[in-house]
Amino acid sequence: MSGSSATLNKIVGDRGVLDTKSIANRATSFWNPAPMQAKALVRPATSEDVSGILRHCNSSGQSVITQGGLTNCVSAVEPGLDDIVLSTEKMTGVIEIDKVGGTAIVEAGTVLQTVQETVAKEGMYFPLDLGARGSCTIGGNIATNAGGINVLRYGMMRNLVLGLEAVMADGTVMTSMNRMLKNNAGYDMKQLFIGSEGTLGVVTRAVLRLFPRPASRQDALVAMTGIEDVIRFLGKLQHELAGNLSAFEIMWGAYYRAVTGENGHRPPLPRDYPFYVVFQAEGSDPDADDARFERVLGDALEEGLIADAVLPKSAAETRAIWEIRENFEPALVKPPFYLYDVSLPIRDMAAYVASVEENVRKRWSDGRCVALGHMADGNLHFFVAPMEDGDFHMASDECVYGPLQQYGGSVSAEHGIGLEKICWLPHSKSTAEIQLMRTLKKSLDPNNILNPGRVLGP
Ligand SMILES: Cc1cc2nc3c(=O)[nH]c(=O)nc-3n(C[C@H](O)[C@H](O)[C@H](O)COP(=O)(O)OP(=O)(O)OC[C@H]3O[C@@H](n4cnc5c(N)ncnc54)[C@H](O)[C@@H]3O)c2cc1C
């Protein structure tokens, strides 16, 4: 055993460290089933353990890749054979729920769905929600400033974290477990770590913001014939549902057709419409909320804004319409697709998607390009499949990012930069912003041990 592993064993105990051979039993990530490769994998149980690990790695210049649930979409969590992995899998639990203050204190390795379910038992609601809820962790959600389907009403992770604790590269434990909505005592240190993709520190605990659990929920899937109608329908729901609209997800027809049918989900609506929207409202008065929801939907049908609609009648039917939006892997992950996550003003979406589709068509005559997304947040996802053998990531990036700049869009709405988008960062950040990011990285992690290469490159 190397000196390094012996020290790590001392910090976390024998069972806290896995060697290269045992690590190979794990998949590299959600997207990459190949065996994971790394020098060692350490599983700290406390902030003090994390502090000891980082202090040791910092003094020897050892690179550390922090891993939560491995659902990252921008190749940030895949280690190399020279890296040590720091997994938060033993740092789990909802430590405290304060129903009066509307807060929960949670360990960083706790799975998002566990937090949602635990606080629900206390009549409370943690609104962050995304397709990877069963695997992704609160630490990963914080490090990526995760968004998901309820951003339009509750904001991204940045809006849902009141305080946190993070361990810095030199092992310093920075505790800032604020529980108040208002706290202007100096710089807001938590914001440094939210969305920093593990490059500035390892998050160990957080104070999350909770809301009262909604007493009513309404969902629907609708089909539409034009993007202008989709935009008007969004406005109508925002104005007429008394602030209850919490999710509004658009699917272009090509996406709906790709994930439904013979090998996919059962299509609740015919498959030949150009647009589909699945949306959700949450409120506090079940009878009044149901009635209002049905009235607004009926009006939209009468006005010709929506062409067809399905209102689920059971929890299973509700799940089924959301599966179409969230469970795309069986249909889309093979053959290799490149996944994108851009944001731009809603009014420019139709023209932008048309440009991307045209770029893909021009580059690969058989290529596929399907779009969907969190439309109300200005966030679109694309799956681009060249349908040709070879690595075409850069060519595909050019098709998607090329037309984005003219709309003032961002190359990452919610997934982050990781290793995948480093060369595209200047599309969305000015030279001065990137320089300031480098200054921060250098002063907080001078030996570049934390997720080296991610976000800013070498
Ligand atoms: C099916 C599917 C649907 C998804 N939908 C969405 C969506 O709607 N919205 C969205 O925003 N994302 C989405 N994602 C992406 C992903 O789930 C999020 O980025 C999530 O927040 C990552 O959490 P994780 O625990 O899996 O983190 P990981 O993938 O393990 O890590 C992500 C990043 O965070 C860092 N990190 C992890 N834990 C810590 C920690 N404790 N301290 C410091 N750094 C840390 C890692 O080093 C890495 O850079 C989706 C992914 C999948 C597979």
Side-chain angles (χ1 to χ4, degrees), residues 30 66 68-72 77 137 141 143-144 147-148 197-198 203 414 451:
F30 174 88
T66 304
L70 294 176
T71 62
N72 180 263
V77 282
T137 63
N141 299 151
T144 56
E197 299 184 49
V203 176
E414 57 180 11
N451 283 1

Side-chain angles (χ1 to χ4, degrees), residues 23-268:
I23 297 167
N25 292 330
R26 298 176 171 224
T28 300
S29 74
F30 174 88
W31 305 98
N32 182 355
M36 191 187 290
Q37 297 193 313
K39 197 190 256 184
L41 184 146
V42 233
R43 300 182 288 178
T46 64
S47 305
E48 290 68 37
D49 289 353
V50 176
S51 170
I53 294 163
L54 294 191
R55 205 175 320 112
H56 169 66
C57 291
N58 194 41
S59 64
S60 54
Q62 170 62 56
S63 53
V64 180
I65 306 296
T66 304
Q67 292 185 346
L70 294 176
T71 62
N72 180 263
C73 299
V74 288
S75 306
V77 282
E78 291 81 350
L81 263 174
D82 291 334
D83 297 320
I84 280 184
V85 171
L86 188 155
S87 166
T88 58
E89 66 197 48
K90 283 188 183 276
M91 301 172 68
T92 60
V94 176
I95 302 163
E96 181 197 296
I97 297 172
D98 173 359
K99 291 171 68 168
V100 178
T103 58
I105 297 181
V106 175
E107 298 267 9
T110 315
V111 168
L112 172 60
Q113 190 170 348
T114 306
V115 175
Q116 295 171 333
E117 289 172 359
T118 308
V119 304
K121 285 185 198 141
E122 299 292 324
M124 302 302 280
Y125 182 55
F126 182 58
L128 182 80
D129 199 19
L130 44 136
R133 63 182 73 78
S135 310
C136 66
T137 63
I138 292 299
N141 299 151
I142 292 174
T144 56
N145 184 25
I149 59 176
N150 292 332
V151 171
L152 107 101
R153 176 130 172 223
Y154 300 97
M156 297 180 73
M157 204 54 178
R158 211 174 272 295
N159 308 96
L160 299 173
V161 176
L162 293 176
L164 58 73
E165 179 176 84
V167 183
M168 324 284 292
D170 67 359
T172 304
V173 181
M174 200 278 315
T175 304
S176 179
M177 297 288 282
N178 168 68
R179 297 157 191 255
M180 289 81 71
L181 271 182
K182 288 184 164 180
N183 183 345
N184 271 352
Y187 300 160
D188 190 353
M189 303 314 288
K190 67 175 181 283
Q191 298 297 356
L192 258 187
F193 300 94
I194 302 174
S196 68
E197 299 184 49
T199 58
L200 301 181
V202 176
V203 176
T204 49
R205 292 187 295 155
V207 183
L208 303 179
R209 189 171 172 201
L210 304 182
F211 297 80
R213 192 173 166 195
S216 82
R217 172 174 160 169
Q218 300 78 34
D219 302 79
L221 171 71
V222 298
M224 313 183 82
T225 53
I227 186 97
E228 294 309 326
D229 289 344
V230 179
I231 294 171
R232 279 177 46 221
F233 184 52
L234 169 62
K236 183 178 175 70
L237 296 178
Q238 283 174 318
H239 280 99
E240 297 182 20
L241 287 183
N244 282 1
L245 185 66
S246 54
F248 187 91
E249 298 288 312
I250 186 171
M251 297 171 277
W252 263 251
Y255 171 86
Y256 187 84
R257 284 184 283 283
V259 300
T260 57
E262 223 170 280
N263 298 316
H265 304 289
R266 190 189 66 77

Side-chain angles (χ1 to χ4, degrees), residues 125 129 148-153 216-224 229-251 256 268-269 275-283 289-301 305-314 317-326 373-377:
Y125 182 55
D129 199 19
I149 59 176
N150 292 332
V151 171
L152 107 101
R153 176 130 172 223
S216 82
R217 172 174 160 169
Q218 300 78 34
D219 302 79
L221 171 71
V222 298
M224 313 183 82
D229 289 344
V230 179
I231 294 171
R232 279 177 46 221
F233 184 52
L234 169 62
K236 183 178 175 70
L237 296 178
Q238 283 174 318
H239 280 99
E240 297 182 20
L241 287 183
N244 282 1
L245 185 66
S246 54
F248 187 91
E249 298 288 312
I250 186 171
M251 297 171 277
Y256 187 84
L269 289 174
F275 299 97
Y276 298 82
V277 172
V278 57
F279 62 100
Q280 175 190 303
E282 293 167 328
D289 295 337
D290 284 352
R292 190 190 302 110
F293 189 82
E294 286 179 27
R295 178 179 52 72
V296 173
L297 214 57
D299 288 352
L301 267 169
L305 260 188
I306 54 181
D308 209 341
V310 170
L311 267 90
K313 295 277 171 286
S314 65
E317 285 182 21
T318 302
R319 197 59 245 141
I321 61 169
W322 278 98
E323 284 280 302
I324 293 170
R325 163 62 184 86
E326 294 186 335
H374 313 292
M375 185 187 193
D377 317 330

